[in-house]
Amino acid sequence: LLPSLLPKMIESIESEDGVTEVEEDGAPSLRGIVSPDSDDEDESDPKALAVRTAWLDEKSSAVHAVGAIAEGLKAAFEPFLERTLTSVSSLEGYFHEDVRQNLQTCMQKLLMVSFYAHTEPMRRESGAMWDQVLHPNTAVMLDSVMELYTRTMKTDDDKETVAQACEAIGALFPAIGAHCMRKFLHRTMEMVQLLFQEKAACQKGGEEEEEDDDDHDQVLIDAVADLLGVVASVYGQEFSGYFEGIYPSLQKYLKPSRQASDRLMAIGAIAEVCSHLKSACLPYIQPMLPILATGLQDQNAGVRRNSVFCCGVFCQSAPDHMSPYMMQILSGIQPLLKEDEEEEVRDNAVGAIARIIMASPTAVPTAQLIGVLVENLPLHGDAAENEVVSSCILAVYRLSPEVLHPFLGKSVAGFVTLLSDEANAKNLKEETKVGMMSYISHLHKEYAEPMREVFASFPQQQQLWLSQHLS
């Protein structure tokens, strides 16, 4: 169907039929698309642009559809790539933000077509050096797309468009890989810094007007924070030098006078980056501890959630430094485990306890804390925390199996619930899933009769899953 559908989409993308110029007397005059910023337009000319909404929606939807098709077909879309790219890329700087927003995502998906068609086959054949290989066609396109994104972040006046550019870059860094994206790292972080400082074109003067002005678009600043975390995950401790420069720009968002969405964003961004910096997060621990102590008691659930997550990250990343504070942190976490607490907050509190146990199992009352982990498994509010909680339970069993003896049945039930459900299992690393399955198999052999009773209490679907996977 694509050979017949795509030309119609490109026709909609390139069409100018929906824009007319209206003369002073109201009579329409077709003159094509005229940019509001055009220097060629006579400012004294009384004409105005008239845009048909249905036509504009069609153009924007066509760009979105092309990106969605490219994403679905991957390498199979390659024969149509050059023609599509010529059409779509011409929309940079288009006068309406809906079109520009969809352009950002579409360009990333078109780039990935080149990646799957040209680079991925080369990487499969390159062995150990796979992540350093980039096909020339993909490299040329990557240069062009990244230039588009950095221009958009700096000069576009629409916050949602800039947010879409940030999300697109965030998708490219892990997909293309650290080595091949390194040439764009410095420039990308310059743009992140610019946006955190609220000095980009879409932020209208930024902090020089009102340092505590809460009028900025939260969608944008959250997208910038997400991009920061993604890039940190790609480069790990190597990213510490870049974060050293960006960290001061996050300080204003941590002030008590800022709105809760700013504070939870900044705490979350710092926690996410520090989770990848490992021991290189040391410079940020001491100034952040008072902020986190207050954040654990904040009225806003998001601030409490990110604060407890950050506490766990600091303990796991720098256990020797955090050892004197661990019992105090555990005391601060305790109220967040109550049943009336928000589920996401409670799940992150459980995750923080798991990180603390894994960091210093002999420095905290592991025998008492392990029950908290087992009783709350599986986590539903923040399912991503199931990975660290499951890993902690396995680590404790390997180190001190007797500690888990009172919780064997419940731990198996939690593991089976996670593994047998595809949505839950996707949040677990492959090695963790293997460890969980080995744990279940071991207990099945070691405690056959009690485990049969435990298995019999499971829902039928889980029993079926067990019969298929239990050796």
Side-chain angles (χ1 to χ4, degrees):
L1 294 176
L2 194 56
S4 59
L5 287 175
L6 191 60
K8 295 184 181 299
M9 295 180 187
I10 290 177
E11 183 181 348
S12 294
I13 290 171
E14 295 178 345
S15 169
E16 298 181 1
D17 293 343
V19 178
T20 62
E21 281 188 355
V22 181
E23 303 285 357
E24 190 175 33
D25 60 1
S29 171
L30 269 175
R31 296 276 294 277
I33 296 176
V34 180
S35 170
D37 300 321
S38 174
D39 294 329
D40 297 330
E41 187 178 8
D42 184 355
E43 292 183 3
S44 63
D45 192 340
K47 302 180 186 69
L49 285 177
V51 181
R52 286 194 292 112
T53 303
W55 166 84
L56 185 63
D57 289 345
E58 179 184 322
K59 181 184 285 286
S60 180
S61 297
V63 177
H64 174 79
V66 165
I69 292 171
E71 182 180 33
L73 292 179
K74 295 182 171 64
F77 190 85
E78 199 277 335
F80 310 96
L81 181 59
E82 184 176 357
R83 176 68 183 95
T84 305
L85 190 61
T86 300
S87 176
V88 172
S89 61
S90 68
L91 297 174
E92 181 186 357
Y94 197 75
F95 76 90
H96 201 280
E97 63 273 12
D98 287 356
V99 175
R100 300 200 307 276
Q101 288 166 19
N102 283 335
L103 169 68
Q104 313 306 314
T105 304
C106 184
M107 291 296 285
Q108 179 261 321
K109 292 174 179 178
L110 291 175
L111 172 60
M112 292 308 296
V113 169
S114 177
F115 177 86
Y116 290 125
H118 302 298
T119 297
E120 192 174 59
M122 290 177 61
R123 290 188 173 186
R124 282 198 296 265
E125 298 173 3
S126 61
M129 304 292 287
W130 68 270
D131 62 338
Q132 299 185 27
V133 175
L134 196 65
H135 190 278
N137 289 3
T138 309
V140 170
M141 189 175 173
L142 178 61
D143 286 348
S144 177
V145 170
M146 287 300 295
E147 286 176 11
L148 162 68
Y149 289 152
T150 52
R151 281 196 301 271
T152 298
M153 292 167 78
K154 185 175 183 179
T155 64
D156 200 292
D157 61 3
D158 177 61
K159 292 177 179 179
E160 181 64 26
T161 301
V162 176
Q164 291 295 329
C166 291
E167 290 181 15
I169 297 173
L172 289 178
F173 265 93
I176 304 296
H179 179 80
C180 296
M181 290 299 291
R182 191 178 305 280
K183 63 186 288 188
F184 308 108
L185 178 56
H186 181 74
R187 183 63 173 155
T188 300
M189 288 304 104
E190 282 186 337
M191 294 300 99
V192 166
Q193 179 83 295
L194 187 76
L195 287 160
F196 275 137
Q197 292 174 345
E198 300 180 279
K199 293 180 178 178
C202 66
Q203 294 168 307
K204 307 291 185 185
E207 64 183 355
E208 289 183 5
E209 291 183 359
E210 288 287 342
E211 184 180 357
D212 292 324
D213 181 18
D214 61 2
D215 192 41
H216 65 270
D217 192 333
Q218 203 62 43
V219 172
L220 169 61
I221 211 67
D222 285 348
V224 178
D226 288 344
L227 173 58
L228 180 68
V230 167
V231 177
S233 73
V234 171
Y235 290 96
Q237 289 184 286
E238 185 183 348
F239 189 69
S240 60
Y242 289 97
F243 190 59
E244 184 179 353
I246 290 173
Y247 177 75
S249 298
L250 289 168
Q251 294 302 293
K252 67 177 182 179
Y253 297 100
L254 294 168
K255 293 181 178 180
S257 58
R258 297 296 293 222
Q259 58 187 351
S261 56
D262 283 344
R263 289 182 282 117
L264 73 89
M265 177 279 297
I267 294 170
I270 292 166
E272 184 63 30
V273 172
C274 287
S275 71
H276 304 294
L277 294 184
K278 306 301 182 184
S279 60
C281 74
L282 276 173
Y284 313 108
I285 291 179
Q286 217 57 45
M288 283 298 297
L289 284 179
I291 295 169
L292 298 179
T294 303
L296 292 175
Q297 304 174 58
D298 198 275
Q299 292 183 348
N300 182 272
V303 175
R304 296 196 301 275
R305 179 195 67 219
N306 286 358
S307 295
V308 73
F309 172 67
C310 194
C311 286
V313 165
F314 282 162
C315 290
Q316 188 174 30
S317 300
D320 292 339
H321 185 86
M322 291 297 295
S323 183
Y325 308 104
M326 285 185 183
M327 292 306 297
Q328 187 177 350
I329 290 172
L330 286 171
S331 178
I333 289 175
Q334 192 65 33
L336 307 183
L337 297 170
K338 294 179 179 178
E339 288 188 11
D340 60 352
E341 179 57 273
E342 296 280 346
E343 194 172 34
E344 284 193 8
V345 179
R346 190 167 60 249
D347 287 359
N348 275 269
V350 175
I353 291 172
R355 289 181 173 89
I356 291 171
I357 292 173
M358 287 196 293
S360 300
T362 59
V364 295
T366 299
Q368 299 174 33
L369 296 173
I370 198 68
V372 176
L373 273 56
V374 174
E375 293 289 345
N376 284 277
L377 203 67
L379 307 175
H380 299 291
D382 190 344
E385 292 296 278
N386 281 312
E387 165 64 30
V388 69
V389 173
S390 300
S391 297
C392 179
I393 291 171
L394 293 173
V396 169
Y397 189 74
R398 285 192 294 267
L399 184 67
S400 306
E402 70 281 357
V403 171
L404 266 167
H405 280 177
F407 310 104
L408 294 181
K410 287 189 175 182
S411 63
V412 167
F415 280 3
V416 171
T417 302
L418 286 171
L419 292 170
S420 63
D421 183 83
E422 187 176 346
N424 283 323
K426 71 179 182 180
N427 291 304
L428 302 170
K429 295 178 182 177
E430 198 59 39
E431 62 189 82
T432 305
K433 289 190 278 189
V434 170
M436 292 163 72
M437 199 65 237
S438 297
Y439 175 82
I440 296 168
S441 298
H442 169 72
L443 294 183
H444 178 234
K445 294 173 182 177
E446 193 76 15
Y447 306 100
E449 189 60 36
M451 283 298 111
R452 271 197 292 271
E453 294 180 12
V454 171
F455 295 161
S457 68
F458 292 167
Q460 187 174 1
Q461 184 180 357
Q462 291 182 8
Q463 291 188 38
L464 178 62
W465 182 89
L466 269 173
S467 67
Q468 294 171 344
H469 293 83
L470 197 60
S471 56

